[in-house]
Amino acid sequence: MSHALETLEGADQETQAQINTVLEDATVWLQKQAVARQEMFSRLSDAAAGGDVQETRGLLAHVNAIAAHDRTDTENQTAAGAATFLAGALREQEETARRLNAAAEAKEEARRRTAWEKANAVARVRTTLRTLRRHGRTMLGTEKRRKVAMLTDLADKVGDQLTRSEINQIKAWKARVQRERKPAPELPAQRNPDPERSPKLDRVRNTDTGQQGEVRLHQQVARADWYSETCPRCYARSGKPCDNDDRVGPGRTRQLPHDERLRRIRATAPGAPPPSTGRVATAFGPACASGEMPPDEEVSSSRS
């Protein structure tokens, strides 16, 4: 077309000059466009080679918009290489996202599984505690020890999920099983045993100090105060009766509080009397600490 304008016949000199000026401007513009196009493809090649996904994606879109036709072989290879790079980067991003999602799902599944195991363990602890409270008195020793051992293991795993009362109950059952496994202590031989001693006398002698004639321990504390303190033995809370851990009577709870509980209440009561020394006065004067009778001369002098 430029050649046709240059050889246009019949145009005057002024018109021909204007045509030449337009052709020169068009040639300069085309040269600038060719340089810009070359720079654009060069930048596209550099971006793809450098692994810049965002830059490559933007340049390839721009190239396809303004230089989609009349490309040289070099330009076609540059555009194809950039497209291949973007496709690979997209696949890598998708694979990375898939791995991250899989890891997040696995972590969430592990969290749910741990929570379920803890909840199941807490439920087993509470069920076992109820079973021991209901049937612990008549349960076989081996079965009781097995359940208490299971409670101890579960408490180590889910202790933060249990209440303070439940932890105290587990400790109490553990101590109770240990006491039951200990052999009964051998009683010392009595000096001058009395074969005709009545059971009533034995009940009277069952006091805090074990001496005849003293008030029994539960009689030293007002009945209204029997359950005013927590029991240090079975951990029964204030206002609740003591557990029947020593099998006194048929019930699950004791008719009388544990001695440890009564001693605690008696010790904290205002104006509590000092504990008994266990010395008993006799017709011959005070008994010595060893329980032996005074010498013969003291007996004689007291009778005289």
Side-chain angles (χ1 to χ4, degrees):
M1 180 178 181
S2 59
H3 179 70
L5 290 175
E6 290 177 355
T7 58
L8 183 63
E9 296 181 357
D12 57 13
Q13 186 176 1
E14 183 179 358
T15 302
Q16 189 64 44
Q18 292 177 354
I19 292 173
N20 292 336
T21 301
V22 171
L23 290 175
E24 291 176 359
D25 292 342
T27 301
V28 172
W29 180 85
L30 289 174
Q31 291 175 351
K32 291 181 178 180
Q33 290 297 313
V35 172
R37 178 170 177 155
Q38 184 179 1
E39 290 179 353
M40 184 171 54
F41 275 95
S42 178
R43 289 173 56 196
L44 177 62
S45 178
D46 294 341
D52 192 339
V53 176
Q54 185 174 0
E55 182 74 9
T56 303
R57 182 181 293 111
L59 288 172
L60 182 61
H62 187 61
V63 163
N64 290 334
I66 66 174
H69 305 288
D70 299 329
R71 291 178 179 175
T72 64
D73 293 340
T74 302
E75 290 175 347
N76 284 329
Q77 292 177 0
T78 300
T84 302
F85 163 72
L86 288 177
L90 179 61
R91 287 194 300 269
E92 185 176 354
Q93 289 178 353
E94 291 176 349
E95 181 65 21
T96 301
R98 188 190 64 79
R99 288 196 301 267
L100 291 175
N101 291 335
E105 291 178 358
K107 185 177 180 180
E108 178 64 18
E109 179 64 23
R111 187 194 65 79
R112 288 196 297 264
R113 183 170 59 252
T114 301
W116 179 85
E117 290 176 353
K118 281 191 173 183
N120 185 49
V122 171
R124 291 176 62 191
V125 166
R126 291 169 180 168
T127 301
T128 305
L129 285 175
R130 285 195 298 267
T131 301
L132 288 172
R133 284 196 299 268
R134 294 175 181 174
H135 309 293
R137 189 174 63 87
T138 58
M139 188 180 296
L140 293 176
T142 54
E143 179 66 12
K144 186 188 300 184
R145 288 192 293 272
R146 187 186 67 81
K147 289 185 178 298
V148 172
M150 181 187 68
L151 284 176
T152 304
D153 293 340
L154 292 176
D156 293 338
K157 298 176 181 178
V158 295
D160 57 336
Q161 304 292 322
L162 301 176
T163 64
R164 188 63 188 172
S165 174
E166 291 167 343
I167 294 175
N168 290 337
Q169 291 180 53
I170 293 173
K171 292 180 179 179
W173 279 108
K174 185 177 179 180
R176 187 177 306 176
V177 168
Q178 291 175 351
R179 287 197 304 270
E180 291 177 356
R181 297 195 68 177
K182 291 181 180 179
E186 295 183 1
L187 297 176
Q190 296 182 355
R191 299 177 61 182
N192 299 324
D194 184 7
E196 297 181 357
R197 186 175 60 186
S198 64
K200 181 178 180 180
L201 182 60
D202 288 339
R203 289 193 297 272
V204 173
R205 291 173 60 89
N206 186 19
T207 63
D208 188 23
T209 60
Q211 300 295 333
Q212 181 177 0
E214 292 188 3
V215 180
R216 299 183 67 183
L217 183 58
H218 73 274
Q219 295 174 342
Q220 300 177 25
V221 179
R223 187 182 184 91
D225 297 334
W226 280 4
Y227 307 112
S228 60
E229 298 284 346
T230 301
C231 180
R233 174 170 172 176
C234 66
Y235 300 100
R237 292 178 295 177
S238 176
K240 300 295 183 180
C242 292
D243 291 340
N244 190 11
D245 57 349
D246 46 4
R247 303 182 182 179
V248 177
R252 290 166 50 190
T253 57
R254 292 170 53 94
Q255 295 181 355
L256 298 177
H258 284 121
D259 291 349
E260 294 85 349
R261 191 176 198 175
L262 292 172
R263 291 192 186 99
R264 170 182 284 185
I265 297 171
R266 186 183 63 180
T268 57
S276 173
T277 60
R279 299 171 64 87
V280 181
T282 66
F284 306 103
C288 65
S290 61
E292 298 180 355
M293 297 298 293
D296 293 339
E297 59 270 23
E298 295 183 8
V299 175
S300 300
S301 62
S302 64
R303 289 181 179 176
S304 63

